[in-house]
């Protein structure tokens, strides 16, 4: 009747199954590279600048095995749109005289029904995790190795994901971890620590009569202004902390 009933393996066994998920692209197609005499091992091998064993040939994308900066230079093959796109940009920049080693932070996503799964960094080899407070249906987990943040995994938390990508781009050990925790905690708890909107003197220009809100236009304007005030103060404090800790002041 056209329905799946099982999977037959190479050794002749049949595994009964009602549903079969077929993953395409797991094995890199390196035949052309091998025929060209390029070094191949779990993909086409390239160096930090994405150059193959032939200095006149560069390679990018899912098929490439490259020294991943986030994994201490370990040869790694990543299958993601972000990695392929950023590697192509890196090679283009190098060919036009404005490029260096490829060190871009990897990030991933997948939409599974009502769930948006996102990862910033490479969640490999971490020694413990920290789960941040979150609303129902959301989750943010920090993956930490030797006191350094290596990845942030989120479920239905796009704001935390974007913050993590920005802060995690250039990790600074324990200092970076503390600052990342502070920012993510504020992003999570911000709605609960914002000051009383009615206690703030809000300029009239922020109270637009066109804003529809179940609590009234004034309440909405005051609420937005209050949250913006808290966010601005927090951002300034974080910026000053980063500058001070880096020895710039």
């Amino acid at each position: 009747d056209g329905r799946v009933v099982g999977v037959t393996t190479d050794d002749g066994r049949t595994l009964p199954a009602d549903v079969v998920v077929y993953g395409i692209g797991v094995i890199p197609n390196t035949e052309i590279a091998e025929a060209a005499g390029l070094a191949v091992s779990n993909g086409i091998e390239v160096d930090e600048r994405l150059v193959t064993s032939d200095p006149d040939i560069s390679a990018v994308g899912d098929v490439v095995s490259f020294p991943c900066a986030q994994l201490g230079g370990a040869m790694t093959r990543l299958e993601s749109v972000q990695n392929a796109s950023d590697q192509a940009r890196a090679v283009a920049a190098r060919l036009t005289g404005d490029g260096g080693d490829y060190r871009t932070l990897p990030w991933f996503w997948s939409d599974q029904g009502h769930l948006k799964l996102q990862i910033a960094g490479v969640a490999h080899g971490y020694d413990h995790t920290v789960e941040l407070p979150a609303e129902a249906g959301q989750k943010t987990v920090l993956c930490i190795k030797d006191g350094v943040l290596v990845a942030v995994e989120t479920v239905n938390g796009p704001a935390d994901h974007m913050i993590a990508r920005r802060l995690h781009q250039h990790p600074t050990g324990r200092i970076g971890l503390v600052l990342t925790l502070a920012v993510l905690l504020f992003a999570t708890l911000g709605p609960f620590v914002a000051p009383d909107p009615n206690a703030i003197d809000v300029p009239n220009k922020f109270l637009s009569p066109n804003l529809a809100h179940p609590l009234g236009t004034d309440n909405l304007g005051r609420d937005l202004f209050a949250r913006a005030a808290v966010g601005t103060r927090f951002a300034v404090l974080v910026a000053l902390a980063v500058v001070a800790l880096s020895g710039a002041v």
Side-chain angles (χ1 to χ4, degrees), residues 15 57 60 121 155:
L15 307 177
I57 300 177
V60 302
V155 178

Side-chain angles (χ1 to χ4, degrees), residues 103-146:
R103 303 182 60 84
T104 304
L105 178 74
W107 53 270
F108 315 85
W109 82 96
S110 178
D111 291 332
Q112 302 292 329
H114 66 286
L115 301 177
K116 178 177 285 294
L117 313 178
Q118 294 175 293
I119 304 173
V122 182
H124 177 75
Y126 55 86
D127 45 54
H128 70 284
T129 61
V130 176
E131 183 173 341
L132 302 184
E135 297 181 5
Q138 298 181 340
K139 187 180 290 288
T140 296
V141 177
L142 310 184
C143 302
I144 302 163
K145 179 180 181 181
D146 298 330

Side-chain angles (χ1 to χ4, degrees), residues 91-216:
V91 170
R94 172 169 53 80
L95 294 178
T96 55
D98 186 28
D101 293 350
Y102 179 71
R103 303 182 60 84
T104 304
L105 178 74
W107 53 270
F108 315 85
W109 82 96
S110 178
D111 291 332
Q112 302 292 329
H114 66 286
L115 301 177
K116 178 177 285 294
L117 313 178
Q118 294 175 293
I119 304 173
V122 182
H124 177 75
Y126 55 86
D127 45 54
H128 70 284
T129 61
V130 176
E131 183 173 341
L132 302 184
E135 297 181 5
Q138 298 181 340
K139 187 180 290 288
T140 296
V141 177
L142 310 184
C143 302
I144 302 163
K145 179 180 181 181
D146 298 330
V148 176
L149 181 69
V150 295
V152 176
E153 300 180 329
T154 62
V155 178
N156 292 338
D160 285 0
H161 174 74
M162 292 306 298
I163 293 173
R165 279 169 54 183
R166 291 190 178 96
L167 292 179
H168 186 53
Q169 188 70 39
H170 300 289
T172 55
R174 298 182 185 277
I175 293 174
L177 175 59
V178 171
L179 292 177
T180 302
L181 278 169
V183 174
L184 287 175
L185 280 171
F186 176 79
T188 303
L189 302 176
F192 305 103
V193 300
D196 179 6
N198 295 314
I200 294 182
D201 183 17
V202 183
N204 288 333
K205 65 180 180 179
F206 288 96
L207 306 180
S208 169
N210 297 322
L211 294 176
H213 192 272
L215 300 179

Side-chain angles (χ1 to χ4, degrees), residues 28-51:
N29 293 325
T30 58
E31 294 83 358
I32 294 179
E34 294 176 28
L38 302 181
V40 171
S41 177
N42 186 32
I44 304 172
E45 292 187 359
V46 297
D47 62 14
E48 294 85 353
R49 294 166 61 84
L50 304 175
V51 177

